[in-house]
Amino acid sequence: MFDGIEHQLEITEPALGNASHGFVRRRNWSLVDHTYERVELSVDVGLHKGWPYPLQLTIAYEVGADGLTVTHTATNKGATSSPFGLGMHTFIRAGDFPLDECALHLAAGTRLPIDPARMLPNAYSQAVAGTDYDFRTPRLLDGVQLDTPYSALDVVDGSGRTQHELLAPDGTGTALWTNREFPWIQAFIADPANDKGYPDRGRALALEPMTCPPDAFNSGIDLLVLHPGQTWSGSWGIKLCDPALIPWDRVTPSRHRPITIGFRYLVSVLRTVRHWSHSRIAAEICRSVWVNARFRRLEYRSCEWENPAWNVFQFRWVCRVREYPKNSRGATLLRHDLSRATSF
């Protein structure tokens, strides 16, 4: 329903009984202009079943010192006002690290509950504080499933931008920012377990800038209205995180499983953060390592460290798929191997 007229769009997802992904997802766009660092494309939305509004869209991709900047415009070419909403399916990654070894920071205070049977909102926005949907403090993604619209986005500076980060365990990260024209972000994790794996990667994270939530044409929530001849513009971008600003001291483990982390990286963390010598690292690891026969892996618990921020961590790594009784000769040899491994 818009402007007193009921419209029925083509059902593009019969299994869910809804229309999604808009009109230009699989369209060919025309080249408008390009330079060494910038390319601009355009497309006419055209008229469709249930859609009598002629809109023209442009999108410009520009690479600069601050990473990738993407700028959208939408112009109403018709004689009547038009509803409008835009979203992008933007997958990001932090280097080549598996998603389950990375942490997510979402600068969002509310989430919109979704009916999994139809992937449509079934309640009003709810605060994320104290729930599994709260990523305002970075959290590990090991075992996490998401397909959730978020709003109440925090602005990071006077520019009106909001920034979200995917943080890698080596201290690097990838940030996705949006300007105030994108007040929503959809967090989605592709996962083979749900028959939605990302090609050649399995689990992958999409942070999707959106001008409005799902079903906005019916709810009216943050729905944009373009009057005849009016142009809307909005921007978002991707850049590298500043390692000095990554709040690893505030990262909390996944609520589902402990952090999975490489043994050599654990040593590098102890060297960098705790300023321990290799000999002390070896002694501490040997004192704290035991064999978990059920999971057939080694575990290291940092339960006696001085810094409380690290006490919640549980480091796991697979060194050998063997089972050694505690204090056996095999366990002694294994501790010796761990000691020797720190001498690089």
Side-chain angles (χ1 to χ4, degrees):
M1 180 73 70
F2 178 73
D3 202 19
I5 303 175
E6 182 174 329
H7 302 273
Q8 176 59 61
L9 300 176
E10 180 183 356
I11 301 301
T12 57
E13 289 190 307
L16 300 177
N18 61 33
S20 62
H21 297 128
F23 300 113
V24 299
R25 183 187 186 192
R26 303 186 186 280
R27 292 278 302 279
N28 291 324
W29 292 55
S30 301
L31 178 65
V32 175
D33 185 38
H34 74 92
T35 63
Y36 182 76
E37 66 279 341
R38 184 180 183 276
V39 61
E40 182 178 354
L41 307 170
S42 71
V43 66
D44 289 325
V45 173
L47 304 181
H48 304 266
K49 177 185 176 182
W51 185 261
Y53 308 106
L55 299 180
Q56 183 183 58
L57 308 181
T58 70
I59 184 170
Y61 299 91
E62 184 170 2
V63 177
D66 197 32
L68 172 69
T69 298
V70 183
T71 302
H72 302 265
T73 71
T75 302
N76 184 352
K77 296 291 187 177
T80 61
S81 296
S82 169
F84 175 70
L86 184 143
M88 297 289 287
H89 283 283
T90 312
F91 279 86
I92 66 172
R93 56 195 281 185
D96 287 325
F97 288 96
L99 185 65
D100 287 345
E101 294 183 12
C102 298
L104 173 63
H105 167 240
L106 280 179
T110 63
R111 60 105 181 180
L112 188 63
I114 296 294
D115 174 12
R118 294 199 62 200
M119 295 306 296
L120 295 175
N122 59 3
Y124 292 110
S125 289
Q126 300 174 0
V128 299
T131 73
D132 286 344
Y133 297 95
D134 191 353
F135 290 87
R136 293 171 300 169
T137 295
R139 277 176 45 206
L140 269 293
L141 289 176
D142 189 9
V144 172
Q145 298 285 351
L146 284 173
D147 196 356
T148 308
Y150 286 86
S151 59
L153 307 184
D154 293 333
V155 176
V156 295
D157 55 39
S159 68
R161 286 185 178 184
T162 295
Q163 182 166 302
H164 317 278
E165 295 100 8
L166 181 63
L167 309 176
D170 67 347
T172 61
T174 301
L176 182 141
W177 59 265
T178 61
N179 69 5
R180 64 181 78 246
E181 304 300 328
F182 290 93
W184 291 81
I185 191 85
Q186 179 99 4
F188 169 68
I189 292 182
D191 193 329
N194 302 325
D195 295 325
K196 295 180 179 179
Y198 193 89
D200 299 323
R201 279 193 74 82
R203 279 171 57 82
L205 172 70
L207 295 181
E208 306 170 9
M210 302 190 302
T211 62
C212 57
D215 205 33
F217 285 174
N218 287 315
S219 71
I221 297 174
D222 288 332
L223 181 67
L224 296 171
V225 176
L226 300 180
H227 301 296
Q230 182 180 356
T231 296
W232 168 91
S233 180
S235 298
W236 57 272
I238 297 175
K239 64 179 184 177
L240 294 176
C241 291
D242 183 347
L245 300 180
I246 295 178
W248 272 105
D249 60 324
R250 296 192 289 114
V251 175
T252 56
S254 166
R255 298 173 187 266
H256 304 274
R257 283 182 277 176
I259 298 170
T260 300
I261 196 165
F263 173 71
R264 286 178 177 262
Y265 176 64
L266 170 60
V267 173
S268 69
V269 168
L270 295 177
R271 288 278 289 169
T272 304
V273 178
R274 304 295 298 168
H275 304 293
W276 285 358
S277 66
H278 281 135
S279 59
R280 182 174 181 186
I281 294 172
E284 182 70 11
I285 290 177
C286 288
R287 182 175 63 80
S288 303
V289 160
W290 70 94
V291 175
N292 185 323
R294 179 181 177 186
F295 293 101
R296 294 191 173 209
R297 65 179 64 185
L298 297 171
E299 296 186 354
Y300 174 76
R301 298 177 187 267
S302 55
C303 57
E304 298 183 9
W305 290 3
E306 298 172 6
N307 187 346
W310 291 88
N311 289 349
V312 296
F313 282 147
Q314 196 179 51
F315 295 97
R316 291 187 174 187
W317 62 92
V318 178
C319 287
R320 296 180 177 180
V321 185
R322 286 186 183 179
E323 298 178 17
Y324 294 116
K326 192 173 182 180
N327 297 324
S328 69
R329 182 173 182 273
T332 301
L333 291 175
L334 189 56
R335 285 195 294 270
H336 174 71
D337 289 345
L338 290 172
S339 300
R340 189 170 55 184
T342 63
S343 301
F344 52 81

